[in-house]
Amino acid sequence: MTTPPESVLFVCVHNSGKSQIAAAIARHEFPNVRVTSAGTAPSETVHPGSADTLAEVGIDITGEQPKAITDELIADADVVVVLGTEAEVATADGTPVVRWEVGEPSSRGIEGAERMRLVRDDIRRRVRQLLSAEAP
């Protein structure tokens, strides 16, 4: 058994989808963990499908806005989790970086709400594994 991190930074390119989903789930299910999210090239707004799929499981992200990754956000995290294959994060301070290659249902022709549910559920499983006291 390993000790779960006390703080985590979730990163994707736009900080409008996957990293927002991961952060919201982590905040909801692990309220004692400091959670932030950011993007390497942030969008203007959170993707509506991300907000909708979280609302389906009782998580409200109204008011969340995409933000840019900073050295301060990295330094404040015990671990940086990069979601997807496009974002690149380098840490100068030795903060560990983990990459989650979240499956993309659209590559299998799955779109819309069903796509977002599959992405959400994959991310939820990974968040639970990362932050659970029973993590291997």
Side-chain angles (χ1 to χ4, degrees), residues 19-20 22-23 29 38 46 68 77 80 82 90 94 96-97 113 125-127 135:
S19 59
Q20 289 281 350
E29 296 190 13
V46 172
V80 176
V82 180
V97 177
R125 178 187 58 78
R126 293 168 187 259
V127 166

Side-chain angles (χ1 to χ4, degrees), residues 9-24 27 35-47 50 61 64-69 73 81 83 86-87:
L9 169 62
F10 293 103
V11 178
C12 66
V13 173
H14 301 295
N15 189 226
S16 65
K18 294 173 183 165
S19 59
Q20 289 281 350
I21 291 171
R27 284 186 200 108
V35 177
T36 53
S37 70
T40 57
S43 295
E44 295 290 319
T45 60
V46 172
H47 187 283
S50 298
I61 61 168
E64 290 294 329
Q65 291 293 318
K67 58 194 144 303
I69 191 169
L73 288 174
V81 177
L83 290 98
E86 296 175 4

Side-chain angles (χ1 to χ4, degrees), residues 2-113:
T2 62
T3 303
E6 293 179 12
S7 62
V8 61
L9 169 62
F10 293 103
V11 178
C12 66
V13 173
H14 301 295
N15 189 226
S16 65
K18 294 173 183 165
S19 59
Q20 289 281 350
I21 291 171
I25 289 169
R27 284 186 200 108
H28 182 76
E29 296 190 13
F30 300 91
N32 294 326
V33 176
R34 287 187 328 273
V35 177
T36 53
S37 70
T40 57
S43 295
E44 295 290 319
T45 60
V46 172
H47 187 283
S50 298
D52 292 345
T53 197
L54 288 166
E56 289 179 354
V57 294
I59 302 173
D60 181 8
I61 61 168
T62 301
E64 290 294 329
Q65 291 293 318
K67 58 194 144 303
I69 191 169
T70 65
D71 291 340
E72 291 79 21
L73 288 174
I74 293 170
D76 191 44
D78 291 335
V79 63
V80 176
V81 177
V82 180
L83 290 98
T85 59
E86 296 175 4
E88 293 297 329
V89 176
T91 62
D93 67 355
T95 301
V97 177
V98 176
R99 182 175 301 275
W100 292 350
E101 293 186 20
V102 177
E104 183 46 64
S106 61
S107 68
R108 300 186 314 266
I110 302 169
E111 299 291 342

